[in-house]
Amino acid sequence: MTLQNMKYIIEITQHRSFSEAAKCLYVSQAALSLAVKETETELGITLFKRTNRGVILTPEGEDFLKHAREIVEQADFLKQRYQNRDLLSLRFSVSAQRLPFAAAAFHRLFHALAPERCHFALREVPTQSVIQDLAADRSDLGIVCLHDSHMPVIQKALDDNDLDFCEIGSLPLRILIRSGHPLARKPALTIAELEPYPFVIYDQEGASSHFTEEILLHELSEKTISVSDRATKLSFLRNSDCFSIGPVLPEELPASGEVVAVPFRAPVEPVHVGYLISRKHKHTDMMKKYLKYLEEELKRHDGFRCSGDSGDFPG
């Protein structure tokens, strides 16, 4: 059974006549009869019956026609799509934890390409949703910051979903508080000094605490505020004595100076910054461009430590 045979049968049905269909298709009636016979023999059904008003479909023929039309329409769509590939929309999607440098790199990519036709998507979501987006092919890349203590659980989730974590480098963690906070004038802070104050964390939508984007959650979990986006987090920091913890680039802080980043006094392990990619996919040129911008954004941070030469990402 061929696509051409399906098209012949659709045309015969529309005209209810072999001769009229042959005229429209510029083929002989014999060619149409052969196409019908081949299809009927292959499928073991009868497609048409003759009446004094022309040929009409049998019940089996009606069922066949419904599916044949869908197949022919899809084939026509593919043909038009790739014959006019210069007009195709440019598509690229990134899922990321709530990380400003991931958004900055995405903006740079979009403006550098300035595509006339595109569908770009940046999803800022919890860690588990980043993994789910990659596994379901909703996104091309996932951008995450991961802690050593959480890696065993997260690595299992990555293996279960055929994903790889590729490290770009590491970033130190900072404590975010308002400039008028009682602790704001200290050059560095300890965990003990933070304990009396509320800890603002990103909601992980029911996922295990190992998927949290904030380190030291258990030590500081007696007074927490869960939020879903960066704007709400900054609002709490500006207007209360709560604090947050994360990798922060200086330019990510509000220009007003209302929120400041204070180092930890005791050594705290940096977080690993990198991207998730499906093991089924290769690095595309678009991915490489985005990752180049991402690394440039990260290198603007004095505390960033590169894992190696990630400028030539593997294919």
Side-chain angles (χ1 to χ4, degrees), residues 2-288:
T2 65
L3 191 63
Q4 185 181 64
N5 284 1
M6 292 183 197
K7 291 180 178 179
Y8 284 174
I9 292 165
I10 291 170
E11 197 74 23
I12 294 167
T13 303
Q14 290 175 342
H15 294 282
R16 301 180 69 173
S17 165
F18 277 72
S19 61
E20 291 300 317
K23 290 178 185 177
C24 289
L25 293 167
Y26 300 100
V27 298
S28 67
Q29 288 189 50
L32 295 188
S33 297
L34 180 60
V36 172
K37 185 177 180 180
E38 285 177 348
T39 304
E40 289 178 329
T41 300
E42 183 176 349
L43 299 179
I45 62 175
T46 300
L47 293 170
F48 295 102
K49 63 181 178 181
R50 296 183 182 275
T51 72
N52 55 7
R53 291 178 297 175
V55 294
I56 61 173
L57 289 166
T58 64
E60 291 173 323
E62 289 177 356
D63 183 66
F64 171 86
L65 184 70
K66 178 179 68 175
H67 296 292
R69 278 184 170 146
E70 291 177 358
I71 293 170
V72 170
E73 286 172 2
Q74 286 295 318
D76 288 343
F77 168 77
L78 288 174
K79 183 178 179 180
Q80 291 174 11
R81 178 178 177 83
Y82 292 105
Q83 282 181 339
N84 300 288
R85 54 184 171 273
D86 291 342
L87 300 177
L88 290 181
S89 296
L90 198 58
R91 304 180 74 86
F92 186 63
S93 178
V94 171
S95 289
Q97 295 170 333
R98 277 72 51 123
L99 300 169
F101 49 81
F106 194 86
H107 295 158
R108 288 181 63 187
L109 176 72
F110 180 80
H111 289 299
L113 296 174
E116 292 184 8
R117 296 166 62 90
C118 69
H119 181 77
F120 275 34
L122 174 63
R123 289 168 45 81
E124 291 191 324
V125 292
T127 310
Q128 191 171 49
S129 294
V130 176
I131 294 172
Q132 291 170 348
D133 284 353
L134 269 291
D137 284 335
R138 281 190 291 269
S139 288
D140 301 290
L141 291 172
I143 309 303
V144 291
C145 287
L146 303 177
H147 313 121
D148 281 331
S149 59
H150 298 168
M151 280 305 297
V153 172
I154 290 178
Q155 186 60 56
K156 183 180 185 309
L158 299 183
D159 290 338
D160 289 345
N161 290 282
D162 269 344
L163 304 177
D164 282 326
F165 171 65
C166 303
E167 184 172 342
I168 299 174
S170 62
L171 279 172
L173 293 167
R174 296 287 185 263
I175 300 158
L176 296 178
I177 52 178
R178 68 184 179 92
S179 56
H181 193 285
L183 302 176
R185 294 185 179 277
K186 297 202 169 207
L189 295 171
T190 64
I191 294 172
E193 289 173 309
L194 295 170
E195 284 179 358
Y197 301 98
F199 184 14
V200 183
I201 62 173
Y202 284 125
D203 181 29
Q204 294 299 318
E205 299 179 355
S208 158
S209 63
H210 287 88
F211 288 87
T212 183
E213 296 162 50
E214 291 84 11
I215 198 169
L216 310 173
L217 181 62
H218 294 297
E219 293 92 327
L220 300 165
S221 62
E222 296 208 354
K223 195 186 294 186
T224 61
I225 303 168
S226 294
V227 299
S228 61
D229 59 78
R230 285 187 280 138
T232 306
K233 179 179 180 179
L234 283 173
S235 178
F236 271 105
L237 293 174
R238 285 190 184 104
N239 298 294
S240 71
D241 284 341
C242 62
F243 70 94
S244 183
I245 297 173
V248 185
L249 305 184
E251 61 272 14
E252 294 167 10
L253 297 174
S256 61
E258 296 172 281
V259 177
V260 295
V262 183
F264 277 106
R265 184 178 300 280
V268 175
E269 290 296 321
V271 291
H272 305 282
V273 187
Y275 61 95
L276 305 182
I277 185 170
S278 171
R279 292 169 185 167
K280 300 177 292 184
H281 299 158
K282 293 184 177 181
H283 289 71
T284 64
D285 288 341
M286 185 76 76
M287 291 179 190
K288 292 177 182 179

